[in-house]
Amino acid sequence: MNWLAERLAAFGRSGLDVIASLGRSGRFLAGALGGVPKPSVGFPLLLKQLYSVGVLSLAIIVVSGLFIGMVLGLQGYTILSDYGSEAAIGQMIALTLVRELGPVVTALLFAGRAGSALTAEIGLMKTTEQLSSMEMMGVDPLRRVIAPRLWAGFISVPILAAVFSVVGIWGGMLVGVEWLGVFEGSFWGNMQSSVSFASDVMNGVIKSIVFGFVCTWIAVYQGYDCVPTSAGISSATTKTVVYSSLAVLGLDFVLTAVMFGDF
Amino acid sequence: MAQRTTEVIVGLFMIAGIAALMFLALQVSGLTPKAPESSYTLYANFNDAGGLTPRAKVSMAGVTVGKIREISLNRETYQARVVIDVNASVDNIPADSSAVIRTSGLLGEQYIDISVGGDMESLKDGDTFYSTQSAMNLERLISNFASGQSQ
Amino acid sequence: MDASPYIELRDVVFTRGNRRIFDGVSLDIPRGRITAIMGPSGTGKTTLLRLIGGQLKPDSGTITVAGENVPQLRRKALYRLREKMGMLFQSGALFTDLSVFENVAFPLRVHTALPEDMIRDIVLMKLEAVGLRGARDLMPAELSGGMTRRVALARSIALDPELIMYDEPFAGQDPIAMGVLVKLIRDLNSSMGLTSVLVSHDVPESLSICHYACIVADGQIIGDGTPEELRAHPSDRVQQFLRGHPDGPVPFHYPAAEAGQDWGLSGRERR
């Protein structure tokens, strides 16, 4: 009986811990995005982060996009040629990339490439007391260190996702049109008649904005909240990748249901 | 790295993002940058609109000349009433032309093809197609054929 | 000079988790003097500095710095107060992505609107004060431990604060670096009239430079006074700490069960 009561209490405590952690992360976000910095101070900081978070992620995005597009081209051709409708390959590739794979794969790659780096960097700054010393110098690290990284993530992910989709479509065209001989006119024509800008492209962009927001938030918060030891940083980095991936896949289902579901 | 170099590289990154979005808009979804071409409205009544959807294309001799704006049920005649926007540049559709629902390929989407008539008069804004041909319903054709009925 | 204490702690209680770190600590830190806070490791000396700096809030009690009650300050007022404080962290806490020059320039760039050539002059002056003017273009990773602390010291005095807090400045330093730091702390105090708080467990170095010292153990202040007064303090615990005896009122053994039980020799086990 006693054992059961203890188990229940422990379960309740861990539940409260999760809720408290959510609350902390919300306060953290509000603290970081609350103030509007002077443009002369904030802009160079944002620029630096855009470079390290966005530009440096471009290579992996382009290469992955190209391969995913080429695979889609090959697989799509094999399946569609059974029904004699290889011409629909452009439509299939474009819809898959623009609606789903572009935002989702970009967010997953971003969490692995930039998110983990953000967590480790901020965690190390915390461990080496850089954040504390900044606070003692009368500078709020939430605004100085965290805010530019958050904004850089929010801006970068939609851009990366758009680049991913475009490169993927190009890769699909390379395989479908150049190698497998689908007529180029019907490749583009089918694509254009079935992809709508307002519902497909824009919904993909909205998805990538949401994913970018969530991934960056998780990454930066995990770094800021980590236990300041080397083991703490390593577990925070792992959490960043795991939580981001789960959040992206879960949110993708919810967003898809809202955007494309018929209700 | 020098501030200037970072600025330029990040600028290029942003431009790449915007260019990618433009490509998705123009090349992939076929959104035309020019202002929506002025058009006039024609109506067509079908016994069976089949799988016709709004935004589907309307073509003449295989060339797209407009799109479907709206499909609704006419409560008096129990027919499908289709509102068609035809590009203003195509202003000489003979009045006795007929609107035919066709399917692109065996399983593709449905669209309206205008088969050209020979009248000297042209259809004006607000006119209705005199003759129409409904969607070919493959299932019904097969079942009719199997039971030996003919239409 | 104003005779009132610069920092006043009254009945400060602070707990972390289930552990009570301070249990009613009261302490006055005089203006313009060097005060050493000493005590065994793990007694929360660094916590005391964080309480003074407003990074932690006490459960009860008041902490007054320069006439302001720190725990009750609003965010803005707290950040303004912190501009008057400098803190030297144990690890130095230099920003690893900035050069030595930029590290020292950081507080100036954030808090002042000085023109670039003026900032340059001030930074070089501060670096000269710690003897590292020649190291301005190095990155923090290229510095030795002692140099890191000196750069961090230059950074903490960049804004000419009224108060400077040193967190374990001597820990892990070789004798020369330690001698340099002792000299710097003393010079800064005498030349700039800084109120200095020094947290350390290095007894001889601390007693050699401080004007006033107190010893913290078990959440209480167990002894305070000038170095001479402390050396003659009647308490056994103070004497044990100052002389470094391994056993005494602070026991050598961590609290444990009767030795007999652990080795299976207790009366009950013996039949």
Side-chain angles (χ1 to χ4, degrees):
Chain A
M1 215 45 223
N2 212 354
W3 177 84
L4 191 69
E6 259 172 42
R7 278 300 145 103
L8 270 176
F11 184 69
R13 261 198 302 279
S14 60
L16 284 179
D17 282 350
V18 170
I19 294 171
S21 160
L22 264 179
R24 273 206 308 280
S25 64
R27 258 182 55 184
F28 163 85
L29 191 68
L33 303 183
V36 179
K38 270 188 293 180
S40 62
V41 179
F43 186 69
L45 293 171
L46 176 65
L47 203 69
K48 206 170 150 192
Q49 292 309 320
L50 272 175
Y51 179 77
S52 64
V53 167
V55 176
L56 293 184
S57 305
L58 204 53
I60 188 176
I61 292 292
V62 167
V63 174
S64 315
L66 185 64
F67 280 122
I68 287 196
M70 286 164 74
V71 168
L72 282 176
L74 277 176
Q75 293 281 17
Y77 184 83
T78 325
I79 297 170
L80 291 174
S81 62
D82 285 352
Y83 302 97
S85 37
E86 301 95 279
I89 195 172
Q91 156 188 1
M92 192 204 86
I93 293 173
L95 282 180
T96 323
L97 279 168
V98 168
R99 283 184 180 178
E100 287 296 332
L101 291 182
V104 171
V105 177
T106 302
L108 294 179
L109 290 172
F110 180 84
R113 159 69 183 72
S116 57
L118 281 175
T119 307
E121 186 190 17
I122 294 171
L124 203 64
M125 288 178 92
K126 182 179 183 182
T127 309
T128 54
E129 296 176 312
Q130 292 182 45
L131 297 183
S132 267
S133 79
M134 202 175 268
E135 231 172 76
M136 287 304 297
M137 276 184 248
V139 179
D140 189 345
L142 282 181
R143 304 226 171 123
R144 178 88 191 182
V145 175
I146 305 295
R149 285 169 171 76
L150 279 172
W151 282 115
F154 299 167
I155 296 172
S156 296
V157 174
I159 293 181
L160 292 172
V163 171
F164 185 96
S165 296
V166 169
V167 174
I169 290 170
W170 186 75
M173 192 197 75
L174 195 70
V175 169
V177 174
E178 304 290 327
W179 297 355
L180 300 174
V182 174
F183 178 55
E184 187 169 357
S186 53
F187 181 89
W188 291 115
N190 261 314
M191 192 187 290
Q192 287 170 1
S193 67
S194 60
V195 178
S196 115
F197 183 75
S199 75
D200 295 322
V201 176
M202 281 327 279
N203 277 340
V205 170
I206 291 171
K207 270 187 180 180
S208 64
I209 290 174
V210 173
F211 295 160
F213 182 83
V214 170
C215 283
T216 321
W217 183 14
I218 290 177
V220 170
Y221 175 70
Q222 287 298 338
Y224 190 76
D225 198 51
C226 78
V227 181
T229 59
S230 32
I233 295 177
S234 108
S235 101
T237 315
T238 311
K239 276 187 201 162
T240 294
V241 176
V242 173
Y243 291 175
S244 303
S245 311
L246 289 179
V248 165
L249 296 173
L251 274 173
D252 184 44
F253 174 73
V254 174
L255 287 176
T256 306
V258 170
M259 290 168 172
F260 301 106
D262 271 334
F263 45 75
Chain B
M1 191 182 309
Q3 169 93 8
R4 185 83 196 146
T5 323
T6 318
E7 271 174 20
V8 171
I9 293 174
V10 172
L12 287 175
F13 174 65
M14 306 282 255
I15 290 172
I18 294 165
L21 205 59
M22 294 285 284
F23 179 84
L24 288 181
L26 302 182
Q27 185 69 12
V28 176
S29 67
L31 200 72
T32 35
K34 56 190 174 195
E37 207 179 333
S38 61
S39 60
Y40 62 99
T41 309
L42 294 178
Y43 299 93
N45 297 315
F46 293 97
N47 290 325
D48 182 1
L52 211 58
T53 54
R55 275 178 47 82
K57 69 173 179 178
V58 176
S59 68
M60 271 172 89
V63 179
T64 305
V65 294
K67 61 173 192 276
I68 294 172
R69 190 202 301 163
E70 193 190 334
I71 301 171
S72 59
L73 183 71
N74 184 327
R75 284 173 53 91
E76 272 113 53
T77 60
Y78 302 106
Q79 279 184 317
R81 181 175 166 80
V82 177
V83 185
I84 300 168
D85 286 332
V86 181
N87 296 346
S89 57
V90 188
D91 56 359
N92 55 347
I93 302 174
D96 62 344
S97 300
S98 60
V100 184
I101 299 182
R102 289 190 192 279
T103 309
S104 57
L106 189 57
L107 300 165
E109 59 184 29
Q110 296 191 303
Y111 64 97
I112 291 182
D113 187 48
I114 300 172
S115 31
V116 185
D119 206 324
M120 296 303 284
E121 292 276 303
S122 297
L123 287 169
K124 301 269 175 328
D125 185 35
D127 285 355
T128 303
F129 278 99
Y130 174 70
S131 79
T132 62
Q133 190 179 323
S134 294
M136 175 186 69
N137 191 322
L138 205 59
E139 245 174 274
R140 195 185 296 156
L141 274 183
I142 292 168
S143 69
N144 286 352
F145 180 74
S147 59
Q149 286 176 302
S150 61
Q151 264 187 317
Chain C
M1 189 182 283
D2 193 347
S4 68
Y6 189 75
I7 303 173
E8 276 181 55
L9 277 77
R10 287 289 169 268
D11 304 319
V12 172
V13 176
F14 181 76
T15 46
R16 180 178 285 151
N18 293 322
R19 235 187 100 212
R20 178 152 286 203
I21 301 194
F22 295 119
D23 193 4
V25 167
S26 296
L27 179 68
D28 286 347
I29 291 175
R31 200 178 287 268
R33 293 299 172 95
I34 303 176
T35 305
I37 297 169
M38 295 186 288
S41 307
T43 47
K45 302 184 297 290
T46 305
T47 309
L48 194 65
L49 294 188
R50 289 186 188 265
L51 283 168
I52 294 172
Q55 287 187 309
L56 296 172
K57 281 196 196 311
D59 299 339
S60 67
T62 59
I63 298 168
T64 316
V65 177
E68 305 206 59
N69 187 3
V70 176
Q72 282 177 0
L73 285 182
R74 317 249 339 152
R75 218 186 84 94
K76 255 207 163 126
L78 181 62
Y79 275 98
R80 212 172 308 121
L81 179 64
R82 281 180 184 160
E83 290 175 31
K84 297 188 206 164
M85 300 180 182
M87 179 149 171
L88 181 65
F89 284 83
Q90 196 170 344
S91 60
L94 294 180
F95 303 131
T96 39
D97 54 339
L98 299 179
S99 68
V100 165
F101 181 93
E102 285 301 322
N103 260 287
V104 180
F106 181 84
L108 295 166
R109 291 198 201 281
V110 176
H111 289 303
T112 67
L114 295 175
E116 189 57 36
D117 53 340
M118 202 120 134
I119 287 182
R120 193 187 118 91
D121 290 350
I122 297 176
V123 170
L124 293 184
M125 218 162 72
K126 301 294 174 186
L127 280 173
E128 175 75 20
V130 297
L132 290 176
R133 188 163 47 87
R136 68 186 115 159
D137 293 326
L138 297 181
M139 293 304 282
E142 300 170 283
L143 301 175
S144 71
M147 284 160 83
T148 304
R149 250 171 248 195
R150 280 150 72 186
V151 173
L153 185 56
R155 186 179 64 180
S156 15
I157 56 170
L159 284 175
D160 293 322
E162 297 172 4
L163 164 71
I164 182 156
M165 298 186 271
Y166 303 94
D167 185 7
E168 300 282 8
F170 309 123
Q173 297 292 307
D174 65 67
I176 301 175
M178 210 183 273
V180 169
L181 283 165
V182 168
K183 175 178 155 4
L184 280 176
I185 293 172
R186 192 184 285 139
D187 288 355
L188 282 177
N189 175 256
S190 56
S191 66
M192 295 169 68
L194 284 174
T195 304
S196 313
V197 181
L198 176 69
V199 152
S200 177
H201 50 233
D202 292 286
V203 175
E205 286 78 18
S206 306
L207 288 186
S208 73
I209 51 170
C210 71
H211 301 105
Y212 178 81
C214 65
I215 297 175
V216 186
D218 300 332
Q220 305 275 355
I221 291 181
I222 57 170
D224 62 345
T226 61
E228 290 72 36
E229 282 168 2
L230 272 181
R231 287 200 183 93
H233 202 277
S235 158
D236 287 343
R237 299 169 74 188
V238 172
Q239 291 306 326
Q240 187 198 354
F241 179 75
L242 290 183
R243 306 222 169 122
H245 294 311
D247 211 351
V250 178
F252 170 71
H253 286 290
Y254 190 81
E258 279 290 312
Q261 273 181 3
D262 278 350
W263 281 286
L265 297 173
S266 75
R268 254 181 300 154
E269 302 277 317
R270 231 179 282 147
R271 314 216 156 170

